[in-house]
Amino acid sequence: MAGRVAKFVEAWKSIFVGHNITMRRGYSRGNEVTELYPYEKPQLAERFRGAPQLVRIAGETSEKEGSCTGCGLCAKACPVNCITVERNKDKEAPLKVASWTLDLTKCMICGLCAEACPQAALVMSHDYENAVYAKDKLIYDMERVLRRPIHIMPAATTVSEES
Ligand code: SF4
Ligand code: SF4
């Protein structure tokens, strides 16, 4: 009998404790654990990895600034072949890269491509809002990927420098 009473008391105690936490969290201000996304954007950690982002192309900016030269190392590093790069064969052409394409439908945001880039021309952005109605909208060619309005991670926190 005593055991059953103890269990009964324990059950009520856990119900009371659970409700107490819910009420405190639900009605206190500044203590919320949920977010009103998409109306309010979450605070991302600096190390957060979003979609890969090409930031500069050699020819458009000085190579000293760290611009894509079309070396293809990012494409080689990608385990799921999201990136295709073609170098310009015409040495007189203003851009060294003929095409640079990212297929975000396959990308798993691992960051290996950015880590492999010797020019710091490819970074992992803070861009996580990639929902679209048509899959082809997630294929980013050079022009689109450079135009994307995104937040770039600070250079000091790129994947290669974290490790
Ligand atoms: S590794 Fe960097 S420089 Fe080379 S093709 Fe990729 S983005 Fe361009
Ligand atoms: S983040 Fe990973 S999966 Fe995505 S393109 Fe880069 S290497 Fe490929």
Side-chain angles (χ1 to χ4, degrees):
M1 182 67 183
R4 288 173 72 184
V5 171
K7 274 187 187 166
F8 182 78
V9 170
E10 191 59 34
W12 274 103
K13 195 174 146 197
S14 64
I15 289 171
F16 176 76
V17 169
H19 275 75
N20 188 23
I21 292 170
T22 307
M23 298 303 253
R24 269 193 291 129
R25 288 282 186 191
Y27 294 102
S28 64
R29 284 186 174 252
N31 214 5
E32 297 87 357
V33 288
T34 53
E35 289 168 340
L36 287 175
Y37 180 82
Y39 307 107
E40 287 174 17
K41 305 290 180 194
Q43 288 279 323
L44 300 177
E46 276 201 355
R47 289 158 57 106
F48 177 87
R49 281 205 304 258
Q53 173 71 19
L54 192 60
V55 285
R56 287 179 290 260
I57 295 275
E60 286 197 327
T61 51
S62 147
E63 269 179 56
K64 283 186 194 139
E65 287 177 42
S67 328
C68 177
T69 55
C71 68
L73 287 177
C74 52
K76 282 203 183 102
C78 178
V80 284
N81 300 326
C82 295
I83 301 175
T84 46
V85 185
E86 251 181 74
R87 211 165 181 179
N88 227 331
K89 292 192 177 80
D90 178 5
K91 290 212 168 22
E92 303 302 313
L95 300 184
K96 287 194 174 176
V97 199
S99 76
W100 192 101
T101 313
L102 169 70
D103 181 351
L104 207 53
T105 63
K106 295 194 284 182
C107 178
M108 54 187 178
I109 322 285
C110 66
L112 291 174
C113 51
E115 201 172 337
C117 179
Q119 301 290 334
L122 183 63
V123 297
M124 297 308 286
S125 73
H126 272 184
D127 188 13
Y128 58 91
E129 294 181 305
N130 294 303
V132 288
Y133 285 105
K135 276 173 89 178
D136 62 344
K137 295 265 187 302
L138 292 174
I139 313 290
Y140 286 90
D141 62 15
M142 201 158 71
E143 203 183 309
R144 270 191 78 201
V145 85
L146 284 166
R147 260 201 342 248
R148 276 170 87 194
I150 53 115
H151 306 289
I152 305 288
M153 263 166 104
T157 56
T158 54
V159 175
S160 52
E161 287 170 21
E162 280 169 21
S163 52

